[in-house]
Amino acid sequence: MADSNRKPSLVTRVAQALHFVEAETGAVTPAIQPAATYARDENYAVRQPYWYRRDGSQTTAQAEAVIAELEGAKDALLFSSGMSACTAIIEHLPTGAHVVAPKVMYHGVRAQLQNYAAKGRLVLSDYTAGNLDELAAAVRPGETALVWVETPNNPNWEVTDIAAAAEIAHAAGAKLMTDCTGTPPSMTRALDFGADFSFHSATKYLGGHSDVTAGVLSVRETGDFWDEIALIRKLQGTVLQSFDAWLLIRGMRTLFLRVEKACKNAMAVAQHFDGHPLVETVLYPGLPHDPGHAVAKRQTDGQFGGMMSIITRGTEQTAIDVARFCEVFYPATSLGGVESLIEHRKTVSGEGFPVHPRLLRLSIGIEDADDLIYDLEQALSRAQGLA
Ligand code: PLP
């Protein structure tokens, strides 16, 4: 029986970029609107909603609409990179605001929080990612403005319970900001778990093809604070450009498909190398003995994600050699693309950032899982002088 109230599922809506049809032409993909400026109308009034590129564009708005749908958000704002989106959140806080953030998180965001703290723009307190007791102890009721959760955190993939963190933050009068870049909204909808801001580096899974840098902030409720963030984006000139927004729309249409395959591949790789004689530890929440397994299962719709790290046996040089000797994995930074990447994280995050010297971060793509496993096998053997 036909049900006139039936709404296509999120998978369908995203695959069709919200059933996009261009009004004038019937085109099923959006056009790219590259204009930097727009002519005033016959009464010399500015046209709505855009009159200059730093406000946004039709193409960027279309990409934002898809993300807002994915996130179940009231609104979303796209930035020229993940870092510029995170910086806008930091910028909108009043001087002296108290922020609680994990000790281990994406090193660029951590560095930015520390830069602002060093200048007295904010006061920063730490907690160990995933440790809710430490988080609760770090929060100052009535004083903390923002609790920052990165889950799973980069590069250890420790899991923080978003709903529990939201309760702690809200009880203290703070807002919760989540960075779930490692598990995109096809599996983790942070706003549904109680986050106030959901952030993603759209450079990663949302784009999915390593050909665009972008960052997105989504919110459950808008308000003056949201207008302020939009104003920061406009005045800093950090809106996502139209060509990049178009690439992002194209990438998001296959989000569910790509992510599902990457997660399956990641599970196969993790299971193969868990207990492997040349690997000391596999850090992957999908493994049943991982401390974050139960929460991750609930928070990622049972998919666990495509990101993991392995700590090799041997020396730091062994780990670097494994990355050098891979022939299918690319020895490159970033994550969330269709191609698998491997990197020696300490080389990238530098001295002073707490990362195991033998940690290799793996971004598992959508290739044949057997090829990925074989490639790591041969690289590990070669690095240990066994091949
Ligand atoms: N947050 C996380 C968890 C990341 O992994 C990254 C980048 O790797 C960022 C934020 C910053 O995003 P972008 O590189 O798009 O500026």
Side-chain angles (χ1 to χ4, degrees), residues 164-182:
E167 257 181 50
I168 294 169
H170 295 159
K175 285 189 175 173
L176 180 71
M177 155 92 174
T178 56
D179 178 348
C180 297
T181 292

Side-chain angles (χ1 to χ4, degrees), residues 81-84 86 106 109 150 154 179 181 199 201-204 213-215 335 361:
S81 68
M83 282 310 304
S84 54
C86 290
Y106 172 63
V109 175
E150 185 179 299
N154 190 344
D179 178 348
T181 292
F199 160 79
S201 165
T203 314
K204 318 301 182 190
T213 60
L335 61 98
R361 190 181 82 175

